[in-house]
Amino acid sequence: MARRPSKSTLKKALLARNAKLNDEIEALHELKNEAAANDDFDKVNELLAQIDELRDMFDIAEKKRSEKLAAKAELRKAKVEATGTHRRTIQWAQGGRAMVPGASGKKMQFAQVLEAGLAKVSREISRWEMGSYGAPRGLRKGEIVMIISETYQTSNKWVVDVMVGPDVIKGVPAKALRNTTEE
């Protein structure tokens, strides 16, 4: 299955096609000037007709392209007016959203963050992100940590305290931890 070309490739192809057309028109102009210098007016008229034909072909292609772009813009505008949004929206069935794992309710719960459980760090966490607890070091992605506290909230963020080897690190974002056991 062939891959669709990128926008930059299409733009380069369009520019190359335009350059080729301009070169053809320039060559015909030179031939026309030579024929005019030799007083061969039949040849001059023939070359002028060829130049007009090339320009008409170019204008037709440009008109088609601009009509297509205008039609796409109108379609996009009609779609936005019909749906009332620029993005796709999910229409949830009644009670369906509550069944999604990790869906936030009134009380945030992190099933993956259980006290005295092991968790894996899902992203790089610098020591400065963990607040003013004076963390001895940051956490690297993929490290296994042991959770030593329940989740608590600080400055609108749910955090836990963890232990990595001999280091106790306070204020680790609970969203950055994942359960290590496969279910």
Side-chain angles (χ1 to χ4, degrees), residues 5 31-32 35-36 58 109 123 128 139 151 154-155 160-161 166 180:
L31 289 174
K32 179 191 68 108
F58 180 74
Q109 293 180 357
R123 65 177 175 85
W128 308 110
L139 297 173
T151 56
T154 60
S155 66
V160 293
D161 299 339
T180 58

Side-chain angles (χ1 to χ4, degrees), residues 125-169:
I125 304 171
S126 71
R127 61 187 288 200
W128 308 110
E129 187 179 344
M130 292 179 251
S132 59
Y133 295 108
R137 67 183 188 93
L139 297 173
R140 292 183 306 277
K141 181 178 179 177
E143 271 190 300
I144 304 294
V145 296
M146 183 169 137
I147 300 159
I148 57 174
S149 74
E150 297 214 11
T151 56
Y152 56 95
Q153 191 172 15
T154 60
S155 66
N156 208 12
K157 188 192 295 187
W158 290 92
V159 295
V160 293
D161 299 339
V162 300
M163 182 180 227
V164 184
D167 298 324
V168 174
I169 302 173

Side-chain angles (χ1 to χ4, degrees), residues 16 19-20 61 69 96 104 107 110 115 119 124 128 134 137 160 167 169-170 181:
K20 182 181 176 186
L69 289 175
S104 59
K107 181 181 178 193
F110 299 97
E115 189 175 0
E124 189 84 19
W128 308 110
R137 67 183 188 93
V160 293
D167 298 324
I169 302 173
K170 295 183 177 183
T181 59

